[in-house]
Amino acid sequence: MANLVLVAGARLGSWAWDEVVPHLRAAGHGVHPLTLSGLADKQGVPAGQQTHVRDIVDEVERQDLRDVVLVGHSYSGIPVGQAAERIGDRLARVVFVDSSVPADGESFVSGLQDIGAMVEASIAENGGFWPLVTAAHFDGEGLTDEQIARIVGGSTPHPGATMTEPAILARPLGELPATYIKCLLAGAEPSADVAELLTSKHWKPVTMDTGHWPMFSQPRELAQILLDAAGE
């Protein structure tokens, strides 16, 4: 039995995994969807990027989890990638779901290239938070109107410091056992940093024919990929 710790991307909380969790639990695994500090039911808790890393590590250690599969979606690939090396032999595998990946000394916004400055300006203009987006932001991502309404309705502004503070890695990310899920509607090719990591013998690429939020658009299919990763 594996223990899957599920961390959704920017503006989202543990609720984002509600349709994925039953499939994982039905297969007999421990499942631990996690809300990061400053989001959803943890709004108001001050958070920088290392706060989010500690959130994940603390969840694993507090519950004394073993055979851990850490799952990070979108922004959360950055704290998940850092937490993965900090939990030592508790880690079985990391799964990055169409996510950013951490690079030592680099922040989330520094990896955004052309739009990084725009995101930083948006954070500065909105009281230190990355603001919410409208329903139109999710067009073309394989989501129904109902699914989009659920995402928009459940989202909360994202603590800006988590996106501007640098990652801290003690060893190359390519040494970790990892699966990278590329969602094709969000772009067929992985980013350059991900493409380089996928040359590692420890990394496995998987694709999904859906958009950037597969926990909503294809929860059953995503769950199966996570189950496969847990069995690696």
Side-chain angles (χ1 to χ4, degrees), residues 16-219:
W17 302 97
D18 284 355
E19 292 183 50
V20 176
V21 167
H23 301 295
L24 303 177
R25 287 190 173 145
H29 295 296
V31 189
H32 309 270
L34 178 63
T35 294
L36 298 174
S37 294
L39 295 162
D41 53 303
K42 296 182 181 176
Q43 283 187 88
V45 178
Q49 190 181 124
Q50 294 308 306
T51 314
H52 283 178
V53 177
R54 286 195 301 273
D55 286 341
I56 299 162
V57 174
D58 287 351
E59 177 75 4
V60 170
E61 293 181 345
R62 181 179 60 82
Q63 300 204 55
D64 194 23
L65 303 180
R66 303 282 172 175
D67 297 314
V68 174
V69 178
L70 290 183
V71 181
H73 163 250
S74 194
Y75 151 79
S76 290
I78 291 182
V80 160
Q82 294 169 78
E85 65 175 29
R86 298 186 196 181
I87 63 172
D89 62 4
R90 295 174 183 269
L91 180 73
R93 197 166 189 85
V94 193
V95 181
F96 295 98
V97 183
D98 213 43
S99 75
S100 301
V101 291
D104 188 50
E106 300 291 334
S107 67
F108 173 81
V109 293
S110 65
L112 294 178
Q113 299 173 341
D114 296 343
I115 66 167
M118 247 177 13
V119 172
E120 283 194 274
S122 178
I123 290 168
E125 292 164 5
N126 288 276
F129 288 85
W130 200 21
L132 301 179
V133 294
T134 65
H137 179 75
F138 302 94
D139 288 347
E141 296 287 350
L143 295 157
T144 65
D145 290 345
E146 182 181 354
Q147 288 164 344
I148 292 172
R150 186 167 164 238
I151 298 170
V152 171
S155 294
T156 48
H158 191 94
T162 69
M163 317 189 85
T164 57
E165 292 179 358
I168 302 170
L169 290 174
R171 62 190 178 103
L173 199 63
E175 294 179 1
L176 294 174
T179 298
Y180 191 91
I181 301 172
K182 184 73 188 79
C183 294
L184 298 177
L185 293 184
E189 297 299 325
S191 59
D193 53 351
V194 171
E196 183 176 350
L197 286 163
L198 286 170
T199 65
S200 166
K201 64 181 181 181
H202 304 293
W203 279 54
K204 177 181 178 180
V206 178
T207 59
M208 292 186 72
D209 190 14
T210 189
H212 185 60
W213 290 270
M215 64 278 285
F216 297 99
S217 60
Q218 292 189 359

